[in-house]
Amino acid sequence: MNEMDNLTREQRSEIMGRVRNRDTVPERIVRSLVFSMGYRYRLHSKSLPGRPDLVFPGRRKVIMVNGCFWHRHEGCALARVPKSRVEFWLEKLEENRKRDEINAGKLNELGWRLLVVWECEIKKTETLRGKICVFLEEDQ
Ligand SMILES: [Zn+2]
């Protein structure tokens, strides 16, 4: 992400505006994996906090696909903060993290279970498949 350092303020804020962008590549991969497993879902339900990426209404469960950098995946190499403008990044990324936390709390209060799938988990298809299966099948 170090190319971020060379961007103008306008370019950075434009990119920041895309943080909760839809139809990212990781999201599409997760969607097609879940579909291939035989599950059906709704997309980006506006009525739920944080507009979860995949919604399973009958199960009262949602999946969020998070980019490691934008959502500060703890201990993840992809989540490294650029070396310059450290304060700018930390502040912005911390806002995202807090927003995620608040949305997760709201979903929980409403009785929805949440699974976060991180961008870096997508390469390990079998592990991810197992994780999603356990999440969707437990307590059914
Ligand atoms: Zn990660």
Side-chain angles (χ1 to χ4, degrees):
M1 295 305 291
N2 287 339
E3 66 271 24
M4 286 291 202
D5 293 347
N6 302 320
L7 300 176
T8 65
R9 179 177 290 274
E10 287 73 28
Q11 285 168 323
R12 276 200 314 270
S13 74
E14 201 231 309
I15 289 168
M16 291 306 299
R18 286 195 245 127
V19 168
R20 284 260 37 133
N21 198 6
R22 302 297 152 181
D23 295 321
T24 57
V25 172
E27 190 193 321
R28 268 184 274 145
I29 293 170
V30 172
R31 255 195 251 161
S32 67
L33 176 66
V34 171
F35 190 88
S36 76
M37 290 163 69
Y39 296 107
R40 298 297 174 260
Y41 44 80
R42 289 194 209 147
L43 297 175
H44 311 147
S45 175
K46 284 184 192 126
S47 58
L48 291 176
R51 295 183 64 193
D53 299 314
L54 285 78
V55 181
F56 304 84
R59 298 168 191 268
R60 250 185 133 66
K61 289 176 182 176
V62 300
I63 294 178
M64 298 260 207
V65 184
N66 279 356
C68 296
F69 178 73
W70 301 110
H71 298 273
R72 302 216 72 188
H73 189 197
E74 226 180 305
C76 177
L78 298 179
R80 265 200 327 255
V81 175
K83 287 193 186 74
S84 70
R85 302 177 192 274
V86 172
E87 269 172 41
F88 168 85
W89 285 112
L90 285 179
E91 190 185 318
K92 288 293 176 193
L93 297 172
E94 195 54 23
E95 280 170 25
N96 291 345
R97 200 192 57 73
K98 277 190 197 136
R99 195 184 314 126
D100 289 345
E101 209 173 275
I102 289 167
N103 286 331
K106 285 183 187 163
L107 283 167
N108 187 43
E109 276 169 31
L110 293 167
W112 289 82
R113 305 271 295 276
L114 164 67
L115 175 70
V116 173
V117 172
W118 294 98
E119 172 189 4
C120 63
E121 294 178 299
I122 282 161
K123 287 171 287 195
K124 298 170 196 148
T125 311
E126 285 317 306
T127 309
L128 181 59
R129 192 195 303 272
K131 184 175 167 173
I132 289 170
C133 186
V134 167
F135 171 71
L136 291 176
E137 291 305 327
E138 69 189 351
D139 304 323
Q140 289 303 310

